[in-house]
């Protein structure tokens, strides 16, 4: 509900959903008791802002290709973290970053772990805030790790989860993708509502834009599709509450609703005419903000890979 309201209002900064619904749940689900006690109260109060750093300059869709390493020191007291990350939401603001790194580089995905890296650790630097096409209220940054000594206690889940990070990432995918779908439907509905208001009051050729059949049919079609999307997303919400939402179904929800969201935004911008292209109008911002929904959280092409694999169709490795 809170996620929908934020999407409806177009409040993109900070990355609230990422902080509350992705980073904190990782600690809740996988953290040791000490990690939960240390970080969860501070994340809940806002004293700490959270981020998760998977993507690297040469590893986005192909997360198995992560090059960042975290090698255990001979005495076992700490990991030495080296590498860089990019496109990290809340990266600039973050006080706590869950960093995906290889603790056993020779083992590929099976050598991946998640480290809790805090602001201020020596060798942890933040790069520039990237200039994005949309989502301007939320910072997206590069992060650099040069011989950062991360205490062994900061391995998420402790020694039991060493080299099991990839499994954790996979387990969280359905919820992460469903969140994107929830916000896509809410943002699309808000865009339709703003457009309905606008076309009723905007006069062209002596009549309201709403009086044109093209306007009414366009909005009727968009509303139908958004309503259908909402029913599917509601069904996915029911499934996830029963812990039954599989990754393929979540991927269908993510890709289908975000494609729809962008189509809705684009058609609504059209109905606003030139005003739809001016930053002062919320519809313009919503259109720009919508574009990335098809890219992050796994691109919509990757979603189709996942769905087709679930259908037994094989596909790219
Ligand atoms: C605003 C923003 C915020 C982000 N926030 C975060 C964050 O907080 N944390 C984080 O870790 N990452 C984050 N990301 C990164 C995001 O998840 C990646 O950008 C995304 O996964 C795609 O990776 P890439 O950019 O490397 O594209 P690439 O993997 O290089 O993909 C390029 C193109 O190739 C296509 N492609 C790739 N593989 C296949 C395939 N097998 N079959 C068909 N097509 C394929 C893709 O779909 C895409 O069209 C963010 C990105 C943005 C833009």
């Amino acid at each position: 509900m809170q996620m929908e309201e934020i999407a409806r209002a177009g409040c993109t900064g900070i990355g609230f959903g990422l902080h509350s619904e992705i980073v904190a749940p990782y600690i809740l689900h996988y953290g040791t008791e000490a990690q939960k006690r240390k970080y969860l109260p501070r994340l809940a109060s806002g004293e700490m802002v959270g981020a998760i750093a998977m993507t690297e300059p040469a590893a986005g869709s192909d997360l198995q290709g992560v090059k960042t390493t975290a090698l255990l020191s001979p005495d076992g007291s700490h990991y030495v973290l080296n590498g860089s990350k990019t496109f990290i939401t809340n990266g600039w603001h973050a006080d706590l970053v869950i960093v995906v790194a290889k603790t056993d580089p020779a083992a590929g995905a099976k050598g991946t772990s998640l480290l809790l890296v805090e602001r201020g650790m020596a060798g942890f630097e933040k790069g520039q805030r990237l200039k994005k096409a949309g989502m301007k209220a939320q910072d997206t940054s590069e992060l650099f790790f040069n011989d950062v000594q991360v205490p062994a206690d900061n391995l998420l889940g402790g020694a039991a989860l060493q080299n099991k990070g990839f499994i954790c990432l996979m387990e969280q995918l359905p919820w992460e993708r469903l969140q994107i779908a929830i916000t896509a439907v809410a943002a699309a509905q808000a865009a339709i509502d703003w457009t309905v208001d606008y076309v009723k009051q905007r006069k062209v050729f002596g009549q309201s834009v709403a009086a044109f059949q093209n306007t009414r049919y366009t909005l009727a079609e968009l509303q139908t599709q958004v309503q259908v999307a909402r029913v599917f997303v509601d069904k996915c919400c029911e499934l996830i509450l029963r812990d039954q939402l599989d990754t393929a179904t979540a991927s269908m929800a993510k890709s289908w609703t975000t494609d729809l969201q962008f189509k809705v935004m684009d058609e609504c911008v059209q109905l606003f005419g030139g005003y739809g292209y001016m930053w002062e109008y919320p519809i313009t911002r919503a259109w720009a903000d919508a574009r990335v929904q098809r890219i992050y959280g796994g691109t919509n092409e990757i979603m189709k890979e996942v769905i087709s694999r679930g259908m037994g169709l094989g596909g790219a490795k």
Side-chain angles (χ1 to χ4, degrees):
M1 195 63 193
Q2 161 253 25
M3 211 181 284
E4 287 182 308
E5 285 307 319
I6 287 173
R8 228 192 303 269
C11 298
T12 62
I14 59 170
F16 297 104
L18 184 113
H19 170 88
S20 306
E21 296 292 345
I22 296 182
V23 175
Y26 265 97
I27 295 169
L28 185 64
H29 293 138
Y30 304 114
T32 62
E33 197 52 36
Q35 289 166 351
K36 288 182 200 175
R37 286 183 186 281
K38 182 171 180 190
Y39 296 116
L40 286 176
R42 290 196 251 171
L43 287 169
S45 69
E47 188 187 330
M48 283 188 130
V49 171
I52 182 159
M54 310 179 207
T55 306
E56 299 182 357
S61 301
D62 180 13
L63 267 188
Q64 300 196 24
V66 159
K67 295 270 187 304
T68 298
T69 54
L71 304 178
L72 197 57
S73 61
D75 66 359
S77 65
H78 62 271
Y79 291 88
V80 181
L81 180 66
N82 277 293
S84 66
K85 300 285 177 180
T86 193
F87 300 150
I88 306 307
T89 303
N90 293 346
W92 182 262
H93 277 104
D95 304 288
L96 178 67
V97 185
I98 300 175
V99 177
V100 177
K102 295 266 171 71
T103 34
D104 181 359
K110 291 188 178 143
T112 305
S113 300
L114 308 178
L115 280 100
L116 297 163
V117 177
E118 289 187 40
R119 175 197 286 273
M121 285 183 173
F124 171 26
E125 305 287 339
K126 298 176 176 195
Q128 52 180 320
R129 272 170 288 179
L130 302 166
K131 294 195 169 78
K132 306 192 293 295
M135 300 263 188
K136 291 181 190 289
Q138 119 182 174
D139 69 284
T140 306
S141 298
E142 299 169 311
L143 303 177
F144 301 101
F145 309 99
N146 296 309
D147 288 332
V148 184
Q149 294 196 8
V150 182
D153 287 345
N154 282 35
L155 180 75
L156 184 65
L161 288 190
Q162 171 149 302
N163 297 327
K164 302 222 165 60
F166 215 80
I167 298 169
C168 305
L169 293 173
M170 294 301 115
E171 284 175 351
Q172 293 309 303
L173 285 178
W175 174 225
E176 289 165 17
R177 291 182 178 160
L178 180 56
Q179 286 177 56
I180 296 176
I182 291 169
T183 60
V185 172
Q189 185 61 59
I192 292 175
D193 296 345
W194 299 331
T195 310
V196 166
D197 286 346
Y198 182 80
V199 296
K200 283 202 274 194
Q201 55 88 11
R202 174 76 176 162
K203 297 277 187 298
V204 184
F205 293 110
Q207 56 183 338
S208 71
V209 173
F212 300 122
Q213 190 187 57
N214 175 64
T215 306
R216 290 182 287 108
Y217 284 14
T218 299
L219 285 168
E221 274 173 29
L222 296 179
Q223 184 59 73
T224 306
Q225 290 170 46
V226 169
Q227 209 137 317
V228 170
R230 176 181 292 281
V231 173
F232 179 43
V233 168
D234 284 352
K235 176 71 189 172
C236 290
C237 288
E238 275 176 42
L239 288 172
I240 204 146
L241 287 172
R242 294 203 297 265
D243 208 12
Q244 288 172 353
L245 183 67
D246 60 81
T247 306
T249 308
S251 302
M252 290 176 199
K254 192 267 177 186
S255 62
W256 197 74
T257 57
T258 57
D259 282 347
L260 175 64
Q261 177 189 5
F262 194 69
K263 180 179 151 196
V264 168
M265 296 306 171
D266 198 52
E267 301 251 21
C268 289
V269 162
Q270 191 70 18
L271 290 172
F272 272 75
Y275 297 96
Y277 202 60
M278 299 297 137
W279 279 116
E280 69 211 70
Y281 280 75
I283 190 66
T284 315
R285 207 149 43 85
W287 170 71
D289 292 347
R291 186 61 186 88
V292 78
Q293 295 259 82
R294 294 159 63 196
I295 296 172
Y296 60 21
T299 67
N300 285 3
E301 291 73 35
I302 294 296
M303 297 305 102
K304 286 169 199 166
E305 278 293 320
V306 173
I307 297 162
S308 58
R309 231 175 283 150
M311 296 164 71
L313 294 169
K317 71 177 179 64

